[in-house]
Amino acid sequence: MKKIKIKKGILSILPLFCLLFNGGCNINVNLNVNNTPRLKWWQKTIAYEIYVKSFKDSDGDGIGDLNGITSELDHLKDMGVGAIWLTPCYVSPQADNGYDIADYYNIDPAYGTMEDMDRLIDEAGKRDIRIVMDLVFNHTSDQNEWFLKSRSSKDNDKSDWYIWADPKEDGSAPTNWRSIFGGSAWEYDENRGQYYLHTFLPQQPDLNWANPEVREELCNIAKFWIDKGVGGFRMDAITYIKKPAVFKDGTPDAEDGLAGIHSITANTDGILDYLHEFRSSVQDGNDIFTVGEANGVTSEDLDKWVGKNGVFDMVFSFELVNIDLPDENNWCVTRDWDLKKFKSFFSENLLSADSADGWFPVFLENHDQPRSINHFMPDDGERIAKAKALSVLLLTMRGTPFIMQGEELGFENVDWSSITDYNDISTKNHYEFLLGEGYSEEEAMAGIRRFSRDSSRTPMQWDDSENAGFTTGTPWLPVYPDYKEFNCAVERKDPDSVLNCYIELSKLRREHSELTEGDYKDILPDDENIFAFTRTKDDSKAIILINFTSNEVSYDGGLTEGATCIFSTTPKEQRGHLAPYGAVIYEM
Ligand code: NOJ
């Protein structure tokens, strides 16, 4: 089959065209990988995100660490994981759990030493697993020596490494921008008599990428880690690095009179020039992959971000995780969505990535998001069945799956009653913001329980001993009370567990190459209950059917005629029917 080249402008109207003239959403029917050169290692593997602070504590201080990770590598190997994305473990005052970096060349003592890191890279390598570092390059910690110097005067060699601006005439902040974590995005510095910009916390001052020295140093950091043998980078908050040429007030979007910074500084013109420079300096010629955290990049922009003309190998889009959240600034305002919309996200992004010769990272959770069974599944019905249904989606979709730690055990959102139970600074700030907007405590807490980042950060549950085997000390964040039932040791022994479902699916993915390399086609785009798609490579075709409801549902049995069932989340697969949250895979 020939690969169709699609012009940029056509991308946005193509789904509509397909709908009108193709009798359904069959949009990538002609986009196949048969002409694609052999897939690279990171396209064929499964990636796993480790929230370092919560994975495994080896020294009893209640905080996860690198040696803890090394001790549990076999758990990941069993799931076919080939890349581990580590959340930042560099030296940091931990104002935002490591996303505020004071020294990019050293490991935070709470997490271990550089020798521990070398050993982790080495031990992972023995199991064909590569370590992926989180590069937080939009900002540093305010304790980074670059910033300490920058704020010390207006004329030192780092004075222009951050975004400094004079006050307005009345002495107030240069603009009315609201930081992503709430409050003004500007902080006044007495010493310089100026404000500095922080897209996130005041303890996270934004770097000035317009300064070539800054860009050069950031490339040096990446090269340092490549020399250590890491397999890639996740690029944090990367769409915010280029600031607008002129700083001016935005239209206030809430009672606080501020304008959310995202709509003003995300993905501004010229950003790709910086990133092309980064790509050619750091990545070209090295066998690593990059995945950008790209809030503000939509399926229509993908051809500029990934693939042969792009700047990264993959980007994490926010369209799916924000399917129910029209405005990330306000967790009390949600919107309805349906399965058709959910499915169209995959069709559109795969089409876009494929047509740019790019690749797609499949993820349903990460450390900033709610747990997927709460996020994407109805409230009723059985938790284990829901977790398994989503695992089938994650591990059979075209692209590189990213599993969030705990997702493979069926973790759900925390259900804490008071804001004081929460740890995440953005959650606490958001709560204050909601009260300021006039919401009651009860309403604000409902938003917090739904979207707080703490849900995906509770300690990993290894067994049913005290603290779930995470630590012998006091865990930095409470272990979730369901750990006696949902933990690695118990689930490993239970053939019907969520964990064994992940292990089995990952094996299937390795054994049936169409599940890794095959084309994707949504075969029931209009069905409101079932997500059904095929993955086709040469003569092999897998048909995947997932019931997203708590009811038994039926489909046209002809769809799977002549095919053999190779996997089912329920014991008795019955052709033409799916059990509540049941998922099956057929192969022809
Ligand atoms: C995105 C990260 O995923 C999040 O955890 C962090 O708080 C912000 N960027 C700031 O670095």
Side-chain angles (χ1 to χ4, degrees):
M1 216 181 279
K2 273 238 155 67
K3 186 172 289 183
I4 290 179
K5 291 280 166 275
I6 295 172
K7 289 248 159 61
K8 279 181 259 169
I10 295 176
L11 272 181
S12 52
I13 56 158
L14 197 64
L16 181 65
F17 174 85
C18 293
L19 213 63
L20 291 175
F21 299 100
N22 209 20
C25 192
N26 186 6
I27 54 184
N28 57 351
V29 64
N30 290 321
L31 298 167
N32 75 45
V33 291
N34 298 339
N35 295 335
T36 310
R38 277 168 60 97
L39 293 188
K40 303 202 172 85
W41 68 271
W42 50 267
Q43 293 172 299
K44 288 193 280 190
T45 198
I46 293 173
Y48 185 93
E49 179 186 352
I50 287 187
Y51 199 68
V52 179
K53 205 167 177 180
S54 296
F55 192 66
K56 176 88 181 197
D57 174 20
S58 71
D59 58 7
D61 64 359
I63 294 174
D65 49 44
L66 299 179
N67 287 339
I69 298 171
T70 306
S71 71
E72 297 293 353
L73 285 172
D74 289 335
H75 169 67
L76 307 180
K77 183 70 193 157
D78 287 349
M79 274 185 296
V81 167
I84 300 173
W85 155 22
L86 295 182
T87 53
C89 46
Y90 320 90
V91 175
S92 161
Q94 307 288 331
D96 184 21
N97 285 342
Y99 282 91
D100 47 320
I101 299 172
D103 177 358
Y104 292 83
Y105 294 100
N106 280 297
I107 300 297
D108 194 283
Y111 296 137
T113 63
M114 193 55 93
E115 287 70 44
D116 298 338
M117 176 56 94
D118 290 336
R119 203 163 64 85
L120 171 58
I121 294 172
D122 193 41
E123 286 298 318
K126 287 181 192 159
R127 294 164 177 82
D128 275 336
I129 300 175
R130 299 194 67 189
I131 299 297
V132 173
M133 298 300 278
D134 206 325
L135 291 183
V136 185
F137 279 177
N138 174 67
H139 46 268
T140 68
S141 158
D142 63 348
Q143 299 307 306
N144 190 303
E145 62 174 25
W146 308 336
F147 186 70
L148 295 177
K149 190 140 192 217
S150 186
R151 78 187 316 176
S152 69
S153 71
K154 283 187 182 171
D155 58 358
N156 62 76
D157 63 358
K158 299 281 182 291
S159 65
D160 191 32
W161 275 44
Y162 293 83
I163 314 284
W164 292 98
D166 291 331
K168 280 182 178 161
E169 264 176 23
D170 63 359
S172 63
T175 65
N176 67 346
W177 303 344
R178 182 194 308 105
S179 81
I180 288 180
F181 290 164
S184 171
W186 295 98
E187 189 76 3
Y188 186 66
D189 182 79
E190 292 281 348
N191 199 36
R192 284 184 60 143
Q194 286 184 305
Y195 285 83
Y196 66 85
L197 185 70
H198 55 91
T199 299
F200 297 92
L201 295 174
Q203 297 93 320
Q204 295 168 300
D206 280 31
L207 282 162
N208 179 15
W209 274 66
N211 182 335
E213 285 175 18
V214 170
R215 303 202 300 275
E216 193 185 331
E217 177 58 13
L218 296 178
C219 289
N220 290 340
I221 293 167
K223 288 174 191 163
F224 170 84
W225 287 101
I226 290 176
D227 288 346
K228 287 238 155 242
V230 303
F233 300 115
R234 180 255 187 191
M235 309 293 296
D236 183 72
I238 204 67
T239 43
Y240 300 109
I241 57 170
K242 173 98 177 22
K243 314 302 178 207
V246 181
F247 293 169
K248 49 178 196 231
D249 283 348
T251 313
D253 55 23
E255 295 296 314
D256 61 6
L258 302 177
I261 193 168
H262 171 82
S263 59
I264 296 161
T265 64
N267 199 0
T268 52
D269 280 352
I271 187 171
L272 293 163
D273 297 340
Y274 292 157
L275 295 175
H276 276 295
E277 184 185 288
F278 180 81
R279 181 175 191 126
S280 52
S281 162
V282 168
Q283 194 174 359
D284 289 351
N286 284 312
D287 184 23
I288 60 158
F289 75 87
T290 51
V291 52
E293 188 200 25
N295 197 353
V297 173
T298 63
S299 58
E300 285 152 35
D301 304 323
L302 271 185
D303 59 336
K304 298 185 224 70
W305 286 80
V306 298
K308 56 184 181 313
N309 300 320
V311 289
F312 298 128
D313 292 308
M314 301 179 267
V315 294
F316 289 128
S317 146
F318 278 60
E319 287 173 307
L320 187 72
V321 291
N322 286 345
I323 195 166
D324 51 351
L325 194 61
D327 173 8
E328 285 171 71
N329 289 317
N330 189 336
W331 293 349
C332 278
V333 178
T334 54
R335 69 179 151 211
D336 291 338
W337 57 277
D338 57 21
L339 188 61
K340 279 159 76 170
K341 179 151 189 228
F342 184 87
K343 294 193 272 196
S344 68
F345 164 82
F346 291 94
S347 301
E348 284 164 19
N349 278 274
L350 284 169
L351 167 69
S352 252
D354 277 353
S355 63
D357 274 345
W359 196 248
F360 180 67
V362 190
F363 76 105
L364 301 172
E365 294 183 10
N366 65 34
H367 66 283
D368 295 328
Q369 294 296 327
R371 290 295 183 177
S372 53
I373 53 178
N374 301 97
H375 203 175
F376 301 121
M377 286 297 194
D379 287 338
D380 58 342
E382 220 245 314
R383 167 179 174 183
I384 294 177
K386 292 190 235 185
K388 287 185 184 177
L390 289 175
S391 72
V392 173
L393 174 65
L394 185 63
L395 294 174
T396 61
M397 180 55 66
R398 179 167 160 79
T400 301
F402 280 74
I403 302 171
M404 173 66 201
Q405 73 179 52
E407 192 174 6
E408 79 277 26
L409 301 178
F411 278 19
E412 61 182 8
N413 280 355
V414 298
D415 189 20
W416 297 332
S417 52
S418 156
I419 190 64
T420 54
D421 298 331
Y422 287 80
N423 170 279
D424 170 38
I425 182 79
S426 84
T427 300
K428 288 175 184 289
N429 289 357
H430 202 93
Y431 177 76
E432 292 306 323
F433 169 80
L434 292 171
L435 296 186
E437 293 297 293
Y439 292 99
S440 68
E441 275 182 38
E442 206 181 318
E443 288 166 331
M445 280 311 296
I448 297 300
R449 275 194 287 271
R450 191 161 178 173
F451 292 111
S452 169
R453 310 196 299 177
D454 282 326
S455 283
S456 51
R457 299 175 177 191
T458 57
M460 186 65 172
Q461 297 167 191
W462 294 104
D463 55 40
D464 60 6
S465 67
E466 203 182 354
N467 298 321
F470 163 67
T471 180
T472 53
T474 307
W476 73 278
L477 196 64
V479 171
Y480 206 53
D482 65 6
Y483 74 90
K484 297 257 177 209
E485 193 186 345
F486 291 89
N487 69 62
C488 221
V490 163
E491 293 197 31
R492 190 168 288 277
K493 283 190 216 129
D494 173 4
D496 294 327
S497 68
V498 180
L499 176 60
N500 276 315
C501 182
Y502 271 82
I503 293 175
E504 214 181 310
L505 283 166
S506 100
K507 193 161 163 265
L508 214 62
R509 208 179 148 87
R510 285 193 297 278
E511 288 167 356
H512 298 261
S513 63
E514 75 270 20
L515 290 176
T516 315
E517 299 178 34
D519 290 353
Y520 165 85
K521 179 175 164 188
D522 182 347
I523 52 173
L524 292 178
D526 292 325
D527 195 296
E528 286 165 5
N529 304 318
I530 301 175
F531 197 163
F533 54 93
T534 52
R535 300 292 315 281
T536 311
K537 186 193 165 214
D538 305 327
D539 295 336
S540 309
K541 179 194 263 189
I543 307 164
I544 295 105
L545 297 129
I546 306 165
N547 179 2
F548 268 69
T549 77
S550 59
N551 305 315
E552 183 173 324
V553 293
S554 2
Y555 63 90
D556 171 7
L559 281 178
T560 56
E561 209 176 290
T564 314
C565 181
I566 56 169
F567 180 85
S568 172
T569 58
T570 49
K572 273 200 185 135
E573 157 274 329
Q574 206 193 339
R575 212 168 285 252
H577 295 276
L578 289 170
Y581 300 116
V584 286
I585 307 176
Y586 286 87
E587 190 182 49
M588 332 233 197

